[in-house]
């Protein structure tokens, strides 16, 4: 099924094609690579509660466009950052900040979230080391029960759901490391002392990813698409 999915969506050649909507999708869907965890696995942060659907509508971006944007990030991880062998694995932090009860009633958001979770479970299952779902609202267990049947057994075992607070901060620091955990994910950034670094979305890996994308555009004689602001 994965081989067919990769063929139908042109995944094998996704890094070779010019990706002129890269900056636009970065603005719409906050998903980024801040660095590596203490086990030296790539860390990817997803913040679905901060997806700018209005900007997406203004620029004719679809849910499938957002899915393929995330695929682009994954393929960069496994073809450029860590081509192997052996196959690398990643620690995923899914931040549910700003996800509230109204999200359950929003068909567009729920459709995207379900499709996103299923895609990752179906096509990148062996690439997961841990998945930390942070800032989960108290009713998140109900949503998890909805998507749980879509997940493989191996995927379920790697998921930890956290509801904020010191326990969440402690686990993030324990897994990602005091020097590497993105400050913006901590409820108490002072707990890691005075670090000079900026937002995890501005990491060295993110700079390299952006440069890689721009180089591909230049190679194909294509320019980055202008963003139509709200």
């Amino acid at each position: 099924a994965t081989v067919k999915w990769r063929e139908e969506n042109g995944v094998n050649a996704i890094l070779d094609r010019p990706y002129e909507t890269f900056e636009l999708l970065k603005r719409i869907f906050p998903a980024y690579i801040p660095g590596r965890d203490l086990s030296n696995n790539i860390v990817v942060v997803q913040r679905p509660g901060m997806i700018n659907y209005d900007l997406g509508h203004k620029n004719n971006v679809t849910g499938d466009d957002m899915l393929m944007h995330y695929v682009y990030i994954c393929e960069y991880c496994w073809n450029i950052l860590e081509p192997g062998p052996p196959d690398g694995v990643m620690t995923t932090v899914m931040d549910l900040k700003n996800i509230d009860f109204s999200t359950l009633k929003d068909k567009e958001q729920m459709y995207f979230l379900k499709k996103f979770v299923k895609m990752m479970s179906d096509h990148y299952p062996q690439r997961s080391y841990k998945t930390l779902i942070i800032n989960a609202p108290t009713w998140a267990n109900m949503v998890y029960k909805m998507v749980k049947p879509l997940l493989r057994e191996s995927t379920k075992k790697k998921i930890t759901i956290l509801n904020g607070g010191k326990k969440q901060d402690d686990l993030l620091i324990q897994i990602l490391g005091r020097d590497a955990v993105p400050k913006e994910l901590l409820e108490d950034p002072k707990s890691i002392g005075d670090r000079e670094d900026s937002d995890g979305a501005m990491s060295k890996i993110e700079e390299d990813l952006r440069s890689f994308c721009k180089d591909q555009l230049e190679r194909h004689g294509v320019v980055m698409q202008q963003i139509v602001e709200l």
Side-chain angles (χ1 to χ4, degrees):
T2 293
V3 172
K4 186 181 179 189
W5 170 80
R6 290 181 71 89
E7 286 176 358
E8 288 176 348
N9 291 282
V11 175
N12 292 333
I14 197 169
L15 296 179
D16 297 325
R17 296 195 298 271
Y19 184 19
E20 62 269 33
T21 54
F22 175 82
E23 295 288 5
L24 171 61
L25 267 296
K26 275 283 180 190
R27 282 272 304 277
I28 293 168
F29 183 11
Y32 54 91
I33 311 166
R36 292 177 179 269
D37 64 18
L38 285 180
S39 300
N40 203 38
N41 299 310
I42 295 166
V43 175
V44 176
V45 174
Q46 313 156 0
R47 309 187 87 180
M50 298 181 189
I51 292 175
N52 192 334
Y53 287 97
D54 290 338
L55 187 62
H57 297 155
K58 186 81 173 178
N59 287 270
N60 299 313
V61 168
T62 66
D64 285 341
D65 291 333
M66 290 194 288
L67 290 176
M68 294 315 294
H69 174 69
Y70 196 76
V71 169
Y72 187 90
I73 293 171
C74 289
E75 291 299 310
Y76 180 81
C77 288
W78 309 132
N79 288 280
I80 306 298
L81 284 183
E82 204 155 300
D87 283 352
V89 289
M90 69 167 60
T91 292
T92 302
V93 181
M94 180 181 276
D95 182 6
L96 297 189
K97 192 172 185 177
N98 295 348
I99 296 275
D100 56 30
F101 209 71
S102 65
T103 307
L104 294 179
K105 300 174 187 173
D106 189 310
K107 290 181 181 177
E108 180 182 27
Q109 290 191 50
M110 287 307 297
Y111 176 78
F112 173 75
L113 286 171
K114 283 183 183 177
K115 208 166 178 184
F116 178 71
V117 170
K118 187 173 191 307
M119 179 186 78
M120 294 308 295
S121 180
D122 284 353
H123 305 303
Y124 294 97
Q126 305 311 319
R127 294 297 196 169
S128 174
Y129 175 64
K130 288 182 188 296
T131 297
L132 307 177
I133 300 176
I134 67 171
N135 295 317
T138 48
W139 47 263
N141 288 335
M142 182 172 75
V143 178
Y144 184 53
K145 283 176 185 172
M146 288 167 59
V147 298
K148 206 171 181 180
L150 305 174
L151 307 178
R152 298 169 182 237
E153 278 305 316
S154 57
T155 303
K156 293 174 193 173
K157 291 174 184 173
K158 297 170 184 174
I159 294 174
T160 303
I161 299 179
L162 299 154
N163 304 105
K166 186 176 185 301
K167 181 182 174 185
Q168 176 176 291
D169 279 7
D170 289 346
L171 191 65
L172 284 169
I173 292 168
Q174 179 188 326
I175 293 172
L176 305 186
R178 186 172 292 275
D179 296 327
V181 61
K183 279 186 183 178
E184 68 275 10
L185 300 183
L186 297 174
E187 286 200 19
D188 180 16
K190 292 176 184 173
S191 63
I192 54 170
D194 291 327
R195 256 180 27 200
E196 293 298 318
D197 59 328
S198 56
D199 190 293
M202 308 296 288
S203 69
K204 175 68 168 64
I205 293 177
E206 280 292 314
E207 285 179 23
D208 292 345
L209 169 58
R210 188 168 268 104
S211 295
F212 173 84
C213 182
K214 287 180 177 177
D215 288 346
Q216 290 297 83
L217 289 175
E218 282 182 26
R219 199 159 65 83
H220 288 85
V222 178
V223 295
M224 196 74 76
Q225 182 176 309
Q226 290 291 311
I227 298 172
V228 179
E229 301 292 348
L230 291 170

